[in-house]
Amino acid sequence: MADKTSVDTSDKNARAEEVFPTLTADQISRIAVHGHARHVEQGEVLIEAGEETARLFVVTAGQIETSALSGTVRRIVAVIQPGMFTGEVTMLSGRRGLAQTTATEPSEVIEVDRGELLSLVQKDSELGDILMRAFILRRVMLIAGQFGDVVLVGSIHCAGTLRVKEFLTRNGHPYSYIDLDRDDGVQDLLDHFHVSAAHVPILICRGKVVLRDPTNEEIAACLGFNDAIDQTHIRDAVIVGAGPSGLAAAVYAASEGLDVLVLESNAPGGQAGSSSKIENYLGFPLGISGQELAARAYAQAQKFGAELMIAKGAKQLACERKPYAIALEDGVQVPARTIIIATGAEYRRLSLENLSQFEGAGVYYGATAMEAQLCGGEDVIVVGGGNAAGQAAVFLAQTSKRVHMLVRSKGLADSMSRYLIRRIEDNPGINLRSQSEITALEGSNHLERVSWRDNVTGEVETHNVRHLFVMAGAIPNTHWLDGCVALDAKGFIKTGPDLSTEDLAAARWPLARAPHLLETSLPGVFAVGDVRGGSLKRVASAVGEGSIAVAFVHQVLHE
Ligand SMILES: Cc1cc2nc3c(=O)[nH]c(=O)nc-3n(C[C@H](O)[C@H](O)[C@H](O)COP(=O)(O)OP(=O)(O)OC[C@H]3O[C@@H](n4cnc5c(N)ncnc54)[C@H](O)[C@@H]3O)c2cc1C
């Protein structure tokens, strides 16, 4: 039998070699043609933390070191020796770097700028794999080590704290978290920045700027998520929404040479990003969390050159002009030759007067490890009879005391996959209540009690439950389209053969040809995924539609 210690050590070595690989002389010479050789002095700072222009350094002699903030302390992240290179995922995204890079000896380096690096990654698949793998693993390491330029001070009882945590996590941005209720040293930190605990969540951004209960847009602006992106030039395709369908469209469009910009009002991943484990997506027999799937797709889209604007929602479509333009919340107009609408859907909110009081403070619309942590060992309620609700119930049953699953219909057979129904039926921790609905929520700062009615007997029960997961029916994100494209009776976008002669006449369809599959009543504007009328509401179909739409984008661009 193999000695466990030696196996562990060799595993660790193999991992270290993936995170900080040493390139061969041939690989270095292939990088060298994309950059220029430089001598650097001992102590010279090659990259400041937070610098806007991303650059990569390959060390050919000497030694350089990267360090980053962890909380308020600067720690060494890595020592880069001959044959090794600097950089992490910001090299792909163009966002501000997190680490400072300093020569600790007189050194010889090859400096490569981001544009050159992107073209190298796309053209040289061997080096592309080595660089991409190292960048992604280094970001994972920074997150695990809580390195980074963000300190979040919050409380688990505060809805804003959960929102900010989710936003940073789903954007793959590392942060240190200090809990007001648990950490003793927090007052010293707040005093240092002259803020009071009453303003939670407080985000200390890049070690300097203090944001009190910031919006996602303010966080994105402070961290410079979108700084490297030119919003004004006319793109071949603007994709609105970075859920599975939008990310798939971005990967296919960018890999086929189109100039692509993705606009996302929140963070990449969409509804799938709020799933703990997707088990029916092809190629992942053990399942994959929505967060991980989104992170991979995001990196893949960037590898091919797609750009993605975060926390920048489309507010209006200017459809009377050509090229079309999409107005953002801040008034900027983004011009586009073609548009792919991938804005998906959101869970219907329960019609209870005081619901918003508890959103994020006991009422949640996603069930990931983050929410599960908040309700470990307690009773929870899941509302909804679809796959998302079933998945959430099975997932939460692992850590909570008991899951009450409330559905309005007689059973689950019509709305849920058979494998999930079986797991729910076999799970003694899940109490399925059919033909039941929530009637009241009570609590002060946090949800404390929930009442529900059995619609057959009319009986109302009240339980001390502090966590309610709502996954009941979806409403499409189409409000911003404001009459530009034909919608069905439920507000989903009609496309291709679903558009009737009357729809096209009402929309004044100007072309001799009929709309392509997935094309809306506006030529060159496509709709994919959950936002499209008749779509299947699955990750695989959303991904499929996103990629199919790109084939038609090419045709429209050549018309
Ligand atoms: C908890 C949960 C679990 C699920 N589990 C599974 C599963 O196991 N298997 C499966 O096949 N399916 C599952 N689904 C369904 C699947 O996630 C969806 O079908 C899929 O995410 C749809 O992808 P989409 O890209 O069309 O839309 P969405 O995922 O809804 O993404 C739309 C994106 O558009 C953004 N957006 C909205 N409006 C705007 C705007 N105006 N401007 C810019 N951006 C905007 C949103 O922020 C969002 O990121 C699950 C869904 C949920 C909620």
Side-chain angles (χ1 to χ4, degrees), residues 154-206:
S155 156
I156 53 165
H157 305 299
C158 157
T161 302
L162 182 64
R163 173 183 54 79
V164 174
K165 274 182 158 192
E166 264 177 5
F167 182 69
L168 292 169
T169 305
R170 288 180 64 168
N171 276 298
H173 198 92
Y175 64 95
S176 313
Y177 175 62
I178 299 178
D179 198 310
L180 267 182
D181 309 316
R182 293 185 194 167
D183 285 289
D184 295 337
V186 70
Q187 197 55 51
D188 293 347
L189 180 81
L190 295 182
D191 291 347
H192 178 77
F193 287 100
H194 311 291
V195 285
S196 122
H199 294 116
V200 291
I202 296 157
L203 191 104
I204 301 164
C205 169
R206 294 190 282 124

Short mmCIF file of all heavy atoms in Angstrom, two decimals, residues 154-206:
data_model
loop_
_atom_site.label_atom_id
_atom_site.label_comp_id
_atom_site.label_asym_id
_atom_site.label_seq_id
_atom_site.Cartn_x
_atom_site.Cartn_y
_atom_site.Cartn_z
N GLY A 154 -20.12 43.28 8.65
CA GLY A 154 -21.57 43.13 8.60
C GLY A 154 -22.09 42.28 9.72
O GLY A 154 -21.39 42.03 10.71
N SER A 155 -23.33 41.86 9.54
CA SER A 155 -23.97 41.05 10.57
C SER A 155 -24.82 40.00 9.86
O SER A 155 -25.46 40.31 8.83
CB SER A 155 -24.84 41.94 11.44
OG SER A 155 -25.84 41.17 12.04
N ILE A 156 -24.87 38.79 10.42
CA ILE A 156 -25.68 37.76 9.75
C ILE A 156 -27.17 38.08 9.84
O ILE A 156 -27.98 37.49 9.16
CB ILE A 156 -25.41 36.34 10.29
CG1 ILE A 156 -25.54 36.29 11.80
CG2 ILE A 156 -24.09 35.79 9.83
CD1 ILE A 156 -25.64 34.87 12.34
N HIS A 157 -27.53 39.04 10.68
CA HIS A 157 -28.95 39.40 10.81
C HIS A 157 -29.34 40.50 9.83
O HIS A 157 -30.44 41.04 9.91
CB HIS A 157 -29.25 39.86 12.23
CG HIS A 157 -28.84 38.84 13.24
ND1 HIS A 157 -29.38 37.58 13.28
CD2 HIS A 157 -27.91 38.88 14.23
CE1 HIS A 157 -28.82 36.89 14.26
NE2 HIS A 157 -27.91 37.66 14.84
N CYS A 158 -28.44 40.86 8.93
CA CYS A 158 -28.69 42.03 8.09
C CYS A 158 -28.76 41.61 6.62
O CYS A 158 -27.87 40.96 6.09
CB CYS A 158 -27.54 43.00 8.35
SG CYS A 158 -27.23 44.16 7.07
N ALA A 159 -29.89 41.99 5.98
CA ALA A 159 -30.12 41.59 4.59
C ALA A 159 -29.04 42.14 3.66
O ALA A 159 -28.58 41.47 2.74
CB ALA A 159 -31.48 42.10 4.14
N GLY A 160 -28.60 43.36 3.92
CA GLY A 160 -27.59 43.99 3.07
C GLY A 160 -26.28 43.21 3.09
O GLY A 160 -25.59 43.10 2.08
N THR A 161 -25.93 42.66 4.26
CA THR A 161 -24.68 41.90 4.37
C THR A 161 -24.74 40.68 3.46
O THR A 161 -23.78 40.39 2.73
CB THR A 161 -24.46 41.46 5.84
OG1 THR A 161 -24.44 42.62 6.65
CG2 THR A 161 -23.16 40.69 5.99
N LEU A 162 -25.86 39.99 3.48
CA LEU A 162 -26.00 38.79 2.64
C LEU A 162 -25.90 39.17 1.16
O LEU A 162 -25.23 38.50 0.37
CB LEU A 162 -27.35 38.11 2.94
CG LEU A 162 -27.61 36.81 2.18
CD1 LEU A 162 -26.60 35.74 2.58
CD2 LEU A 162 -29.02 36.31 2.43
N ARG A 163 -26.55 40.28 0.80
CA ARG A 163 -26.52 40.72 -0.61
C ARG A 163 -25.08 41.01 -1.05
O ARG A 163 -24.64 40.55 -2.10
CB ARG A 163 -27.39 41.97 -0.79
CG ARG A 163 -27.27 42.58 -2.17
CD ARG A 163 -28.09 43.85 -2.31
NE ARG A 163 -27.81 44.85 -1.32
CZ ARG A 163 -26.76 45.67 -1.34
NH1 ARG A 163 -25.89 45.60 -2.32
NH2 ARG A 163 -26.58 46.56 -0.38
N VAL A 164 -24.34 41.77 -0.20
CA VAL A 164 -22.97 42.14 -0.58
C VAL A 164 -22.08 40.89 -0.65
O VAL A 164 -21.28 40.74 -1.58
CB VAL A 164 -22.40 43.19 0.41
CG1 VAL A 164 -20.94 43.47 0.10
CG2 VAL A 164 -23.21 44.48 0.35
N LYS A 165 -22.26 39.98 0.32
CA LYS A 165 -21.47 38.73 0.29
C LYS A 165 -21.73 37.97 -1.01
O LYS A 165 -20.83 37.47 -1.66
CB LYS A 165 -21.88 37.83 1.45
CG LYS A 165 -21.18 38.11 2.75
CD LYS A 165 -21.68 37.09 3.76
CE LYS A 165 -20.73 36.89 4.89
NZ LYS A 165 -21.06 35.75 5.71
N GLU A 166 -23.03 37.89 -1.36
CA GLU A 166 -23.39 37.16 -2.58
C GLU A 166 -22.80 37.83 -3.81
O GLU A 166 -22.29 37.16 -4.71
CB GLU A 166 -24.92 37.09 -2.71
CG GLU A 166 -25.42 35.79 -2.15
CD GLU A 166 -26.94 35.66 -2.16
OE1 GLU A 166 -27.64 36.55 -2.68
OE2 GLU A 166 -27.41 34.68 -1.60
N PHE A 167 -22.85 39.13 -3.84
CA PHE A 167 -22.35 39.86 -5.01
C PHE A 167 -20.84 39.62 -5.17
O PHE A 167 -20.36 39.32 -6.27
CB PHE A 167 -22.65 41.36 -4.86
CG PHE A 167 -22.20 42.17 -6.03
CD1 PHE A 167 -22.84 42.05 -7.26
CD2 PHE A 167 -21.14 43.05 -5.93
CE1 PHE A 167 -22.42 42.80 -8.35
CE2 PHE A 167 -20.72 43.80 -7.02
CZ PHE A 167 -21.37 43.67 -8.24
N LEU A 168 -20.09 39.72 -4.07
CA LEU A 168 -18.63 39.52 -4.15
C LEU A 168 -18.32 38.07 -4.50
O LEU A 168 -17.46 37.79 -5.35
CB LEU A 168 -17.97 39.91 -2.83
CG LEU A 168 -18.01 41.40 -2.48
CD1 LEU A 168 -17.56 41.64 -1.05
CD2 LEU A 168 -17.12 42.21 -3.43
N THR A 169 -19.03 37.14 -3.87
CA THR A 169 -18.76 35.72 -4.13
C THR A 169 -19.06 35.37 -5.57
O THR A 169 -18.27 34.72 -6.26
CB THR A 169 -19.63 34.85 -3.19
OG1 THR A 169 -19.38 35.25 -1.86
CG2 THR A 169 -19.31 33.37 -3.35
N ARG A 170 -20.22 35.84 -6.06
CA ARG A 170 -20.60 35.47 -7.43
C ARG A 170 -19.73 36.16 -8.46
O ARG A 170 -19.65 35.72 -9.60
CB ARG A 170 -22.08 35.75 -7.67
CG ARG A 170 -22.93 34.72 -6.90
CD ARG A 170 -24.39 34.92 -7.08
NE ARG A 170 -24.80 34.72 -8.47
CZ ARG A 170 -26.06 34.61 -8.85
NH1 ARG A 170 -27.02 34.67 -7.96
NH2 ARG A 170 -26.37 34.45 -10.11
N ASN A 171 -19.05 37.23 -8.06
CA ASN A 171 -18.09 37.86 -8.98
C ASN A 171 -16.68 37.31 -8.77
O ASN A 171 -15.73 37.83 -9.35
CB ASN A 171 -18.10 39.37 -8.80
CG ASN A 171 -19.21 40.00 -9.60
OD1 ASN A 171 -19.21 39.89 -10.83
ND2 ASN A 171 -20.17 40.61 -8.93
N GLY A 172 -16.55 36.31 -7.88
CA GLY A 172 -15.24 35.71 -7.64
C GLY A 172 -14.25 36.70 -7.06
O GLY A 172 -13.06 36.61 -7.32
N HIS A 173 -14.75 37.67 -6.27
CA HIS A 173 -13.83 38.67 -5.72
C HIS A 173 -13.54 38.35 -4.26
O HIS A 173 -14.45 38.30 -3.44
CB HIS A 173 -14.43 40.08 -5.83
CG HIS A 173 -13.39 41.14 -5.70
ND1 HIS A 173 -12.72 41.67 -6.77
CD2 HIS A 173 -12.84 41.70 -4.61
CE1 HIS A 173 -11.82 42.54 -6.35
NE2 HIS A 173 -11.87 42.57 -5.03
N PRO A 174 -12.25 38.14 -3.91
CA PRO A 174 -11.93 37.77 -2.53
C PRO A 174 -12.20 38.91 -1.55
O PRO A 174 -12.05 40.08 -1.92
CB PRO A 174 -10.43 37.45 -2.57
CG PRO A 174 -9.92 38.00 -3.83
CD PRO A 174 -11.06 38.23 -4.76
N TYR A 175 -12.59 38.56 -0.35
CA TYR A 175 -12.81 39.59 0.67
C TYR A 175 -12.62 38.99 2.05
O TYR A 175 -12.74 37.78 2.24
CB TYR A 175 -14.22 40.19 0.55
CG TYR A 175 -15.33 39.20 0.82
CD1 TYR A 175 -15.92 39.10 2.09
CD2 TYR A 175 -15.81 38.37 -0.19
CE1 TYR A 175 -16.94 38.19 2.34
CE2 TYR A 175 -16.82 37.47 0.06
CZ TYR A 175 -17.39 37.38 1.32
OH TYR A 175 -18.39 36.47 1.57
N SER A 176 -12.31 39.86 3.01
CA SER A 176 -12.26 39.41 4.40
C SER A 176 -13.57 39.84 5.03
O SER A 176 -14.05 40.95 4.78
CB SER A 176 -11.14 40.10 5.18
OG SER A 176 -9.97 40.06 4.44
N TYR A 177 -14.12 38.96 5.85
CA TYR A 177 -15.41 39.28 6.47
C TYR A 177 -15.25 39.40 7.98
O TYR A 177 -14.65 38.54 8.62
CB TYR A 177 -16.44 38.20 6.13
CG TYR A 177 -17.76 38.41 6.83
CD1 TYR A 177 -18.53 39.55 6.59
CD2 TYR A 177 -18.25 37.48 7.76
CE1 TYR A 177 -19.73 39.75 7.24
CE2 TYR A 177 -19.45 37.68 8.41
CZ TYR A 177 -20.19 38.82 8.14
OH TYR A 177 -21.38 39.04 8.79
N ILE A 178 -15.77 40.48 8.51
CA ILE A 178 -15.74 40.66 9.97
C ILE A 178 -17.17 40.77 10.45
O ILE A 178 -17.94 41.61 9.96
CB ILE A 178 -14.94 41.93 10.34
CG1 ILE A 178 -13.50 41.76 9.85
CG2 ILE A 178 -14.97 42.17 11.84
CD1 ILE A 178 -12.62 42.95 10.11
N ASP A 179 -17.55 39.87 11.36
CA ASP A 179 -18.92 39.86 11.85
C ASP A 179 -19.03 40.70 13.12
O ASP A 179 -18.36 40.43 14.11
CB ASP A 179 -19.35 38.41 12.13
CG ASP A 179 -20.86 38.31 12.22
OD1 ASP A 179 -21.44 39.11 12.96
OD2 ASP A 179 -21.43 37.45 11.53
N LEU A 180 -19.88 41.70 13.03
CA LEU A 180 -20.07 42.61 14.17
C LEU A 180 -20.46 41.87 15.44
O LEU A 180 -20.10 42.27 16.53
CB LEU A 180 -21.22 43.57 13.84
CG LEU A 180 -20.89 44.88 13.22
CD1 LEU A 180 -22.17 45.67 13.04
CD2 LEU A 180 -19.96 45.66 14.15
N ASP A 181 -21.26 40.80 15.26
CA ASP A 181 -21.78 40.11 16.43
C ASP A 181 -20.78 39.15 17.05
O ASP A 181 -20.98 38.67 18.15
CB ASP A 181 -23.04 39.32 16.05
CG ASP A 181 -24.02 40.20 15.31
OD1 ASP A 181 -24.22 41.33 15.76
OD2 ASP A 181 -24.54 39.76 14.26
N ARG A 182 -19.71 38.84 16.31
CA ARG A 182 -18.81 37.79 16.81
C ARG A 182 -17.38 38.25 17.02
O ARG A 182 -16.67 37.68 17.84
CB ARG A 182 -18.78 36.62 15.83
CG ARG A 182 -20.10 35.91 15.78
CD ARG A 182 -20.00 34.69 14.91
NE ARG A 182 -21.34 34.20 14.60
CZ ARG A 182 -21.62 33.32 13.68
NH1 ARG A 182 -20.66 32.81 12.97
NH2 ARG A 182 -22.86 32.94 13.47
N ASP A 183 -16.91 39.23 16.23
CA ASP A 183 -15.50 39.61 16.30
C ASP A 183 -15.27 40.77 17.25
O ASP A 183 -15.88 41.84 17.10
CB ASP A 183 -15.00 40.01 14.90
CG ASP A 183 -14.79 38.79 14.04
OD1 ASP A 183 -13.84 38.05 14.31
OD2 ASP A 183 -15.60 38.58 13.11
N ASP A 184 -14.36 40.56 18.21
CA ASP A 184 -14.13 41.58 19.22
C ASP A 184 -13.42 42.81 18.65
O ASP A 184 -13.75 43.93 18.97
CB ASP A 184 -13.26 41.02 20.36
CG ASP A 184 -14.02 39.92 21.08
OD1 ASP A 184 -15.27 39.94 20.98
OD2 ASP A 184 -13.37 39.05 21.70
N GLY A 185 -12.46 42.58 17.76
CA GLY A 185 -11.61 43.69 17.31
C GLY A 185 -12.29 44.64 16.35
O GLY A 185 -11.68 45.60 15.88
N VAL A 186 -13.58 44.40 16.04
CA VAL A 186 -14.22 45.15 14.97
C VAL A 186 -14.32 46.66 15.27
O VAL A 186 -14.16 47.49 14.38
CB VAL A 186 -15.61 44.54 14.65
CG1 VAL A 186 -16.59 44.76 15.76
CG2 VAL A 186 -16.15 45.05 13.36
N GLN A 187 -14.53 47.00 16.55
CA GLN A 187 -14.69 48.42 16.89
C GLN A 187 -13.43 49.21 16.55
O GLN A 187 -13.50 50.32 16.02
CB GLN A 187 -15.06 48.58 18.37
CG GLN A 187 -15.65 49.95 18.72
CD GLN A 187 -16.88 50.29 17.86
OE1 GLN A 187 -17.81 49.51 17.75
NE2 GLN A 187 -16.84 51.46 17.21
N ASP A 188 -12.26 48.60 16.82
CA ASP A 188 -10.99 49.27 16.51
C ASP A 188 -10.91 49.59 15.01
O ASP A 188 -10.52 50.68 14.61
CB ASP A 188 -9.79 48.36 16.84
CG ASP A 188 -9.68 48.15 18.34
OD1 ASP A 188 -10.37 48.90 19.08
OD2 ASP A 188 -8.93 47.24 18.75
N LEU A 189 -11.32 48.60 14.21
CA LEU A 189 -11.25 48.79 12.76
C LEU A 189 -12.19 49.93 12.34
O LEU A 189 -11.82 50.80 11.54
CB LEU A 189 -11.65 47.49 12.05
CG LEU A 189 -11.62 47.56 10.54
CD1 LEU A 189 -10.19 47.37 10.04
CD2 LEU A 189 -12.51 46.51 9.92
N LEU A 190 -13.42 49.92 12.88
CA LEU A 190 -14.39 50.96 12.52
C LEU A 190 -13.88 52.34 12.97
O LEU A 190 -14.00 53.32 12.24
CB LEU A 190 -15.76 50.66 13.14
CG LEU A 190 -16.45 49.40 12.62
CD1 LEU A 190 -17.82 49.23 13.27
CD2 LEU A 190 -16.61 49.41 11.12
N ASP A 191 -13.30 52.38 14.17
CA ASP A 191 -12.75 53.66 14.67
C ASP A 191 -11.68 54.18 13.71
O ASP A 191 -11.62 55.37 13.40
CB ASP A 191 -12.15 53.49 16.07
CG ASP A 191 -13.22 53.23 17.12
OD1 ASP A 191 -14.42 53.43 16.78
OD2 ASP A 191 -12.88 52.81 18.24
N HIS A 192 -10.85 53.24 13.23
CA HIS A 192 -9.77 53.59 12.32
C HIS A 192 -10.31 54.32 11.09
O HIS A 192 -9.69 55.22 10.54
CB HIS A 192 -9.04 52.30 11.93
CG HIS A 192 -7.92 52.46 10.97
ND1 HIS A 192 -6.69 52.94 11.36
CD2 HIS A 192 -7.84 52.22 9.64
CE1 HIS A 192 -5.90 52.97 10.30
NE2 HIS A 192 -6.58 52.55 9.25
N PHE A 193 -11.50 53.90 10.62
CA PHE A 193 -12.08 54.52 9.42
C PHE A 193 -13.19 55.53 9.77
O PHE A 193 -13.92 55.99 8.88
CB PHE A 193 -12.62 53.44 8.49
CG PHE A 193 -11.53 52.67 7.80
CD1 PHE A 193 -11.13 51.42 8.26
CD2 PHE A 193 -10.87 53.21 6.70
CE1 PHE A 193 -10.12 50.72 7.63
CE2 PHE A 193 -9.86 52.51 6.06
CZ PHE A 193 -9.48 51.26 6.54
N HIS A 194 -13.32 55.87 11.05
CA HIS A 194 -14.31 56.85 11.51
C HIS A 194 -15.73 56.50 11.07
O HIS A 194 -16.46 57.34 10.53
CB HIS A 194 -13.98 58.27 11.02
CG HIS A 194 -12.56 58.66 11.28
ND1 HIS A 194 -12.08 58.89 12.56
CD2 HIS A 194 -11.51 58.81 10.45
CE1 HIS A 194 -10.80 59.19 12.48
NE2 HIS A 194 -10.42 59.14 11.22
N VAL A 195 -16.13 55.26 11.21
CA VAL A 195 -17.52 54.91 10.89
C VAL A 195 -18.16 54.22 12.09
O VAL A 195 -17.46 53.67 12.95
CB VAL A 195 -17.65 53.96 9.65
CG1 VAL A 195 -17.43 54.70 8.38
CG2 VAL A 195 -16.76 52.75 9.78
N SER A 196 -19.49 54.23 12.09
CA SER A 196 -20.17 53.62 13.23
C SER A 196 -20.79 52.29 12.80
O SER A 196 -21.13 52.09 11.62
CB SER A 196 -21.24 54.60 13.72
OG SER A 196 -22.49 54.01 13.69
N ALA A 197 -20.97 51.41 13.78
CA ALA A 197 -21.53 50.09 13.51
C ALA A 197 -22.96 50.18 13.00
O ALA A 197 -23.49 49.23 12.43
CB ALA A 197 -21.48 49.25 14.79
N ALA A 198 -23.60 51.34 13.17
CA ALA A 198 -25.00 51.48 12.74
C ALA A 198 -25.13 51.44 11.22
O ALA A 198 -26.23 51.30 10.69
CB ALA A 198 -25.55 52.80 13.27
N HIS A 199 -24.00 51.59 10.52
CA HIS A 199 -24.09 51.69 9.05
C HIS A 199 -23.88 50.37 8.32
O HIS A 199 -23.58 50.38 7.14
CB HIS A 199 -23.06 52.72 8.55
CG HIS A 199 -23.37 54.10 8.99
ND1 HIS A 199 -22.53 54.81 9.83
CD2 HIS A 199 -24.42 54.90 8.75
CE1 HIS A 199 -23.07 56.00 10.07
NE2 HIS A 199 -24.21 56.07 9.42
N VAL A 200 -23.98 49.23 8.99
CA VAL A 200 -23.68 47.96 8.32
C VAL A 200 -24.65 47.69 7.15
O VAL A 200 -25.80 48.12 7.23
CB VAL A 200 -23.75 46.74 9.29
CG1 VAL A 200 -22.63 46.77 10.28
CG2 VAL A 200 -25.11 46.60 9.89
N PRO A 201 -24.21 46.99 6.12
CA PRO A 201 -22.85 46.53 5.95
C PRO A 201 -21.93 47.68 5.53
O PRO A 201 -22.34 48.57 4.79
CB PRO A 201 -22.96 45.51 4.82
CG PRO A 201 -24.13 45.96 4.02
CD PRO A 201 -25.09 46.57 5.00
N ILE A 202 -20.68 47.59 6.01
CA ILE A 202 -19.68 48.59 5.65
C ILE A 202 -18.63 47.87 4.81
O ILE A 202 -18.17 46.79 5.18
CB ILE A 202 -19.04 49.19 6.91
CG1 ILE A 202 -20.10 49.95 7.71
CG2 ILE A 202 -17.88 50.12 6.55
CD1 ILE A 202 -19.76 50.10 9.16
N LEU A 203 -18.30 48.48 3.69
CA LEU A 203 -17.32 47.85 2.82
C LEU A 203 -16.09 48.75 2.73
O LEU A 203 -16.22 49.91 2.33
CB LEU A 203 -17.93 47.64 1.44
CG LEU A 203 -17.11 46.75 0.53
CD1 LEU A 203 -17.76 45.38 0.45
CD2 LEU A 203 -17.03 47.33 -0.85
N ILE A 204 -14.94 48.23 3.13
CA ILE A 204 -13.72 49.01 3.00
C ILE A 204 -13.06 48.52 1.71
O ILE A 204 -12.64 47.37 1.60
CB ILE A 204 -12.81 48.84 4.22
CG1 ILE A 204 -13.58 49.28 5.47
CG2 ILE A 204 -11.53 49.65 4.07
CD1 ILE A 204 -12.98 48.83 6.76
N CYS A 205 -13.05 49.44 0.75
CA CYS A 205 -12.70 49.07 -0.61
C CYS A 205 -11.29 49.56 -0.92
O CYS A 205 -11.00 50.73 -0.69
CB CYS A 205 -13.75 49.73 -1.50
SG CYS A 205 -13.42 49.73 -3.21
N ARG A 206 -10.47 48.70 -1.42
CA ARG A 206 -9.07 49.00 -1.76
C ARG A 206 -8.33 49.66 -0.60
O ARG A 206 -7.49 50.53 -0.79
CB ARG A 206 -9.01 49.87 -3.02
CG ARG A 206 -9.51 49.09 -4.24
CD ARG A 206 -9.24 49.79 -5.52
NE ARG A 206 -10.17 50.85 -5.76
CZ ARG A 206 -9.85 52.11 -5.99
NH1 ARG A 206 -8.59 52.47 -6.01
NH2 ARG A 206 -10.77 53.00 -6.20
#
